[in-house]
Amino acid sequence: MNLRKTPAIIFGILLVLMINVTASPNDTAQDINFRLLNIERRLDQMQYRIDGIERDIQNQVMSGRNESNNVLQTVLETQRQNLSLAEQVVTMQRQMLEMQKAIDTMRESMEEKTRKETRPAPKPGKP
């Protein structure tokens, strides 16, 4: 490189740096405004996303309530059926006891008849 060109190059670089430094406050203000607008836009997007997520969560909670209501209704219906079956079992046990009593009564009467028939008749002359 030529030593004569070196001061010119250095002067050129300094001139460019000075222009950048003097122009920098205007560019910085515009850059800050641009960044603020960008940040506001991103915040709005985030708010929309959060709102969407909240709606999804509320929908899941509501559908969860519906599902839990359905499960609760199913459990209650099953309990009603179990109570109904238990009542039927009790009724059938009562009927079975009544039938056993009737059978026992009939058996006793049959046994008495067979005893009377198989007993020797008393002889007419002996007391």
Side-chain angles (χ1 to χ4, degrees):
M1 255 191 179
N2 249 341
L3 289 176
R4 291 181 187 182
K5 289 185 178 179
T6 305
I9 292 174
I10 292 175
F11 180 73
I13 292 173
L14 286 175
L15 183 64
V16 169
L17 287 174
M18 286 175 53
I19 291 172
N20 282 339
V21 169
T22 57
S24 179
N26 291 337
D27 290 341
T28 306
Q30 288 177 357
D31 189 43
I32 290 175
N33 285 335
F34 176 74
R35 288 183 182 181
L36 284 174
L37 290 173
N38 231 357
I39 290 171
E40 287 177 354
R41 184 178 52 82
R42 288 182 181 175
L43 282 174
D44 288 341
Q45 289 175 348
M46 291 295 289
Q47 187 63 46
Y48 288 131
R49 289 178 186 167
I50 290 172
D51 290 343
I53 291 170
E54 286 177 348
R55 272 186 303 230
D56 289 343
I57 290 171
Q58 287 175 353
N59 288 337
Q60 287 176 355
V61 167
M62 293 303 290
S63 67
R65 286 182 186 163
N66 289 338
E67 289 175 10
S68 65
N69 284 342
N70 291 339
V71 170
L72 182 62
Q73 288 175 352
T74 304
V75 168
L76 289 174
E77 182 61 31
T78 306
Q79 288 176 343
R80 284 186 203 113
Q81 289 175 356
N82 284 341
L83 285 174
S84 174
L85 289 173
E87 288 174 355
Q88 290 176 8
V89 167
V90 168
T91 303
M92 292 181 82
Q93 286 174 342
R94 284 183 185 154
Q95 289 175 350
M96 197 162 144
L97 283 173
E98 289 173 5
M99 290 173 70
Q100 284 177 344
K101 286 180 185 177
I103 290 171
D104 289 343
T105 305
M106 290 172 70
R107 184 180 295 147
E108 287 176 4
S109 67
M110 293 290 286
E111 286 176 358
E112 282 183 29
K113 282 183 182 180
T114 53
R115 277 190 226 144
K116 287 181 182 178
E117 290 175 0
T118 56
R119 256 194 246 169
K123 293 184 181 177
K126 293 186 180 177

